[in-house]
Amino acid sequence: MMKRLRLTIGGVLSLFALTACAADKTVKTTPPAWVNSPYAACSADELCAVGSASNFALAKADARAGLAKVFQARIKSSFESDVRVKNDDVSSGARDFVSETSDVMLNATEIRETFKDGGKFYALATLDKSKAARVTRDEIDDLDEKMTALLTDESPAAAVRLEKLYEQRRGLNQRHITLTGESIPESVGYDQVYGNKKARVGKRHVYLSPKAGSKQSFVQAVRGAMTENGYTFATVPTEKTPVVRISMTAEQQFLKVDGFVKYDYHFVLSAPDKNGVDVERLAATFTESGLNEKQAYSKAIRSLKDYLKENILNLYF
């Protein structure tokens, strides 16, 4: 019986030793190669970055942010090379566009691996360049269609819009070059875009006539939106200068909430037609509330700016 007891105790001790050894092995696991060298786990068709933090969620976010920085740095380098070769100032605006929107590439990003070393967590983020290139190509195709349509539009606003889309297109093309090494041929070229703008912008010279008593912030909002879209302004009205009349009137509404007020702000922009008859061109009502009329009005001005940004291209006269 004693012999059996010794064997049993010995077995228990052996089992304890094996368990301790296994636990020790887990604690001392060697970090994978990608922790210090991201591309050790990536192919030539991918971009990679490693993130680290105090938990997996933050490590993954850090990895994605790091990948975005890597991608932006490569595009910036590509832009700088392009500018030196072509001496092209347009790339500056296009570069700004890509810098602001390259996060869309995170749609093609995945977290491939994670690793925990004591209290530190690591994540490996990868970007599939071919998938990102397809997304980019779709965006460029969409812009090409819009630019081709705008090229036939004779309004100065369309000319300004065309320029903005062209810069976006240039930025996206540079992204495509970074991903694939190949450029996508332009359907609307530089000379067309800037020749078109030169021919049209400035030909819409108008006299802006605000309704008596209009606040300066309202007038500035309308003038700013029109200026951005190719309109210039006369200091005095003439027979050859269309008079653009603008107004925004406030109408207080009932609001069953103590301490707050509510207003409808009616905006109208009118201009003469071919026969010289004043015609309403743009009209909208913004319903805003606030602690007082001043606060509600400030909100209405923001809504007006958003409205003009979306609808200024519909202004023809």
Side-chain angles (χ1 to χ4, degrees):
M1 182 179 294
M2 290 297 294
K3 186 175 180 181
R4 289 181 181 178
L5 182 59
R6 290 193 200 96
L7 289 173
T8 301
I9 293 173
V12 171
L13 291 174
S14 297
L15 179 61
F16 177 77
L18 288 171
T19 302
C21 182
D24 185 60
K25 183 177 180 182
T26 301
V27 172
K28 296 181 180 180
T29 298
T30 302
W34 59 261
V35 169
N36 296 310
S37 180
Y39 286 92
C42 291
S43 70
D45 296 326
E46 297 173 319
L47 293 178
C48 300
V50 173
S52 61
S54 58
N55 59 57
F56 278 130
L58 291 177
K60 291 176 182 179
D62 187 47
R64 289 191 174 95
L67 188 56
K69 290 179 181 178
V70 169
F71 189 54
Q72 288 181 21
R74 294 199 176 195
I75 294 177
K76 181 180 179 180
S77 176
S78 177
F79 265 121
E80 290 173 349
S81 175
D82 190 50
V83 169
R84 285 195 299 269
V85 173
K86 298 181 179 179
N87 191 27
D88 189 353
D89 292 335
V90 181
S91 293
S92 176
R95 179 170 54 242
D96 291 340
F97 170 77
V98 171
S99 178
E100 294 171 0
T101 62
S102 61
D103 286 347
V104 301
M105 287 294 94
L106 295 182
N107 292 332
T109 299
E110 67 174 18
I111 300 298
R112 175 167 297 169
E113 295 188 45
T114 57
F115 175 73
K116 179 183 178 183
D117 185 6
K120 197 164 187 178
F121 297 74
Y122 297 88
L124 173 66
T126 65
L127 173 69
D128 184 329
K129 290 196 286 187
S130 61
K131 181 179 179 181
R134 288 194 297 272
V135 172
T136 302
R137 181 63 189 251
D138 289 342
E139 292 182 59
I140 289 176
D141 288 343
D142 181 58
L143 286 179
D144 283 345
E145 289 185 11
K146 292 178 180 177
M147 289 168 62
T148 300
L150 285 172
L151 198 60
T152 64
D153 190 327
E154 296 183 357
S155 71
V160 174
R161 177 62 175 161
L162 179 62
E163 179 188 14
K164 292 178 180 179
L165 293 187
Y166 181 72
E167 289 192 356
Q168 291 182 18
R169 206 262 188 207
R170 288 289 302 277
L172 291 173
N173 190 49
Q174 208 69 40
R175 181 201 290 172
H176 193 270
I177 292 172
T178 302
L179 291 165
T180 67
E182 298 179 355
S183 174
I184 299 177
E186 295 178 345
S187 59
V188 178
Y190 178 92
D191 290 340
Q192 289 174 291
V193 172
Y194 289 93
N196 180 64
K197 180 182 177 183
K198 184 177 180 180
R200 297 176 184 176
V201 172
K203 287 192 173 182
R204 294 296 187 182
H205 194 58
V206 302
Y207 177 76
L208 193 63
S209 177
K211 183 179 179 180
S214 294
K215 295 182 180 181
Q216 188 62 28
S217 56
F218 162 65
V219 178
Q220 289 176 344
V222 178
R223 180 183 287 268
M226 294 181 71
T227 299
E228 289 179 5
N229 286 276
Y231 289 85
T232 57
F233 302 94
T235 55
V236 294
T238 67
E239 292 183 3
K240 295 182 179 180
T241 306
V243 177
V244 177
R245 305 182 191 281
I246 57 173
S247 65
M248 189 163 78
T249 56
E251 180 184 1
Q252 188 167 8
Q253 302 295 315
F254 174 73
L255 183 63
K256 195 176 180 179
V257 179
D258 292 338
F260 283 83
V261 296
K262 180 180 179 181
Y263 286 84
D264 281 347
Y265 292 92
H266 306 291
F267 166 70
V268 176
L269 182 152
S270 61
D273 60 15
K274 293 180 179 180
N275 298 316
V277 179
D278 208 42
V279 177
E280 183 179 286
R281 304 292 181 168
L282 295 177
T285 295
F286 312 109
T287 302
E288 306 291 355
S289 58
L291 295 173
N292 49 50
E293 196 277 335
K294 182 178 180 180
Q295 190 177 80
Y297 174 78
S298 295
K299 292 181 180 179
I301 290 298
R302 291 196 292 271
S303 296
L304 172 66
K305 289 179 179 178
D306 291 338
Y307 170 79
L308 291 173
K309 184 177 180 181
E310 293 296 323
N311 293 276
I312 200 72
L313 289 176
N314 298 323
L315 185 58
Y316 298 98
F317 52 83

